[in-house]
Amino acid sequence: MGIRTRLRHGKRAGSKRGETRENTAYLREWAGARRGVEGYVEPRTTVTETTVMLVAHDGEWTRRRVSGPRAAHSLGDSLGIPVYDAGVVGYPQRMRAYNRRRKEDGQGSPRPR
């Protein structure tokens, strides 16, 4: 989004975007369609709000914004999946292997869906 578009829509450059109902619905649908899903809470930064990354049994992953760590853990509780602090435990090896497979298969850099 360019500066003119941001100004026209009342958004400041560098403004943060938070959790939306669409994000939560997407995460619920994504987790429900996969098995062995775990959540990893990523802390708020100067650029983004808190995010949660969901990783499936095969390493496939997705990431969306949430309103905070408590919301990420609450989502995990409601989905019946474990949620970890990514800054403490890191990311699972299966996710790195998934990214490597995608790259080797010519699918380019993996992007969250």
Side-chain angles (χ1 to χ4, degrees), residues 38-55:
E38 296 175 329
Y40 294 85
V41 180
E42 300 172 313
R44 178 179 172 211
T45 69
T46 57
V47 179
T48 62
E49 292 296 322
T50 303
T51 55
V52 64
M53 178 180 284
L54 299 183
V55 182

Side-chain angles (χ1 to χ4, degrees), residues 23-39 52-55 62 66 71-83:
N23 286 352
T24 303
Y26 170 82
L27 291 168
R28 287 181 181 285
E29 181 179 320
W30 193 92
R34 288 154 183 85
R35 63 185 174 90
V37 176
E38 296 175 329
V52 64
M53 178 180 284
L54 299 183
V55 182
T62 192
V66 292
H73 286 281
S74 178
L75 175 66
D77 289 344
S78 71
L79 294 172
I81 64 171
V83 176

Side-chain angles (χ1 to χ4, degrees), residues 38-113:
E38 296 175 329
Y40 294 85
V41 180
E42 300 172 313
R44 178 179 172 211
T45 69
T46 57
V47 179
T48 62
E49 292 296 322
T50 303
T51 55
V52 64
M53 178 180 284
L54 299 183
V55 182
H57 79 284
D58 62 353
E60 181 183 6
W61 58 274
T62 192
R63 172 188 289 128
R64 290 292 187 274
R65 287 177 184 86
V66 292
S67 60
R70 184 174 288 174
H73 286 281
S74 178
L75 175 66
D77 289 344
S78 71
L79 294 172
I81 64 171
V83 176
Y84 308 103
D85 183 342
V88 174
V89 301
Y91 298 102
Q93 178 60 39
R94 68 182 184 277
M95 187 184 99
R96 290 188 290 277
Y98 175 82
N99 290 344
R100 191 170 35 259
R101 284 191 309 273
R102 284 184 49 90
K103 194 171 186 178
E104 290 169 358
D105 290 345
Q107 296 179 13
S109 176
R111 300 199 187 279
R113 291 179 241 159

